[in-house]
């Protein structure tokens, strides 16, 4: 079993839809949970991160962490074509860059 | 303030040749991380360096791979005697301190193709 699992997609949705992206993990020691957006041929860009459990909202984006189920989600409201990208989840035991474990990413296409 | 820069953006090598990938961190950042991204796989940590020091190389293959971050100039990831399995995107990230999810910024990557 991989430490972090993520459905690779591709996921296609119409513009304006609510998108739900998810990751599951096996290491109960993870405390930091991140979502990155990666456009084609670009580097990952941090979207949001949460520490421990709970929800965090930033504009159209909401991140949720359910540590009891070892499951994290990213919701995108009112999706736009500019949201078309690969979304990577990542997690870590401590807040140290070398300990980040990344999922393979979900490719999202938002169709106009 | 320029972002993290990597060059070349694309590199083609034949099996057995050497590949040198360069990463210039953001201004004021003295911590550099290298990651490898294979097709359909997540980023995998390779090595973490500070100026003139390798802090953590637990993700580096034991042979053929080396990294440095000299006092002056970019960080360099060197792959000797490349093989087809080395074909991947290599990303570096930099940060001003060792901790801090929010302060780590990624470069655009170098795509290595081994023929």
């Amino acid at each position: 079993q991989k430490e972090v699992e993520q459905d690779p997609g591709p996921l296609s949705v119409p513009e304006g839809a609510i998108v739900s992206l998810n990751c599951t993990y096996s290491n109960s020691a993870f405390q930091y949970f991140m979502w990155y957006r990666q456009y084609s041929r670009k580097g990952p860009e941090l979207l949001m991160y949460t520490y421990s459990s709970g929800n965090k909202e930033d504009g159209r984006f909401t991140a949720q962490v359910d540590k009891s189920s070892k499951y994290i989600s990213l919701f995108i409201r009112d999706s736009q074509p500019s949201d078309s990208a690969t979304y990577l989840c990542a997690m870590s035991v401590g807040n140290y860059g070398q300990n980040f474990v990344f999922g393979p990413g979900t490719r999202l296409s938002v169709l106009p | 303030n320029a972002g993290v820069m990597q060059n070349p953006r694309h590199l083609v090598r034949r099996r057995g040749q050497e590949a040198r990938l360069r990463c210039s961190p953001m201004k004021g950042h003295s911590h550099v991380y290298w990651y490898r991204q294979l097709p359909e796989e997540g980023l995998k940590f390779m090595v973490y360096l500070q100026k003139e020091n390798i802090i953590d190389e637990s993700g580096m293959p034991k042979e053929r791979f080396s990294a440095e971050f000299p006092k002056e100039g970019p960080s360099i990831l060197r792959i000797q005697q490349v093989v087809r399995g080395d074909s991947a995107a290599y990303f570096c990230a930099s940060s001003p301190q060792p901790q801090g999810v929010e302060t780590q910024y990624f470069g655009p990557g170098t795509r290595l193709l081994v023929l």
Side-chain angles (χ1 to χ4, degrees):
Chain A
Q1 182 187 10
K2 290 185 178 178
E3 206 166 7
V4 177
E5 307 231 29
Q6 187 176 8
D7 186 339
L11 178 63
S12 293
V13 301
E15 184 175 355
I18 296 175
V19 177
S20 172
L21 303 166
N22 311 294
C23 287
T24 58
Y25 62 94
S26 57
N27 187 350
S28 57
F30 285 143
Q31 293 277 23
Y32 292 84
F33 302 92
M34 291 76 77
W35 286 97
Y36 290 83
R37 178 174 61 197
Q38 186 176 19
Y39 290 114
S40 181
R41 302 299 187 188
K42 303 286 187 185
E45 167 196 13
L46 180 67
L47 271 179
M48 299 182 73
Y49 85 95
T50 51
Y51 172 72
S52 195
S53 284
N55 295 356
K56 188 171 185 178
E57 188 173 321
D58 184 1
R60 296 185 295 113
F61 298 89
T62 299
Q64 288 185 352
V65 175
D66 181 350
K67 292 187 74 179
S68 62
S69 302
K70 299 193 182 72
Y71 187 88
I72 69 171
S73 301
L74 177 71
F75 297 96
I76 307 174
R77 289 183 299 281
D78 187 25
S79 56
Q80 304 294 311
S82 59
D83 294 328
S84 298
T86 297
Y87 289 80
L88 309 171
C89 64
M91 35 202 89
S92 176
V93 174
N95 194 6
Y96 297 98
Q98 70 268 36
N99 299 138
F100 294 176
V101 179
F102 285 82
T106 298
R107 204 153 27 118
L108 172 67
S109 291
V110 180
L111 306 174
Chain B
N1 187 10
V4 179
M5 299 178 70
Q6 290 188 248
N7 65 82
R9 295 293 307 276
H10 300 273
L11 182 61
V12 179
R13 284 287 178 266
R14 297 192 180 278
R15 281 179 295 170
Q17 291 184 319
E18 178 180 287
R20 280 186 180 234
L21 288 63
R22 288 176 289 278
C23 170
S24 296
M26 288 181 70
K27 187 176 181 180
H29 288 195
S30 58
H31 301 262
V32 166
Y33 309 80
W34 283 95
Y35 295 84
R36 178 165 60 178
Q37 186 176 39
L38 293 167
E40 309 304 325
E41 293 190 22
L43 279 79
K44 296 281 194 280
F45 166 75
M46 299 181 74
V47 61
Y48 162 40
L49 310 102
Q50 294 179 27
K51 286 281 188 181
E52 299 185 277
N53 287 302
I54 296 175
I55 306 301
D56 183 345
E57 56 182 348
S58 58
M60 284 275 270
K62 292 288 184 280
E63 297 177 349
R64 303 188 297 108
F65 285 72
S66 62
E68 62 177 10
F69 189 13
K71 188 177 179 181
E72 301 290 339
S75 174
I76 295 181
L77 179 68
R78 182 181 176 207
I79 311 172
Q80 295 178 291
Q81 298 176 328
V82 296
V83 300
R84 289 220 172 106
D86 297 332
S87 295
Y90 292 83
F91 292 93
C92 79
S94 74
S95 67
Q97 60 210 23
Q99 292 179 317
V101 169
E102 291 181 297
T103 61
Q104 188 183 73
Y105 294 89
F106 282 84
T110 293
R111 276 140 191 94
L112 172 66
L113 176 63
V114 179
L115 301 177

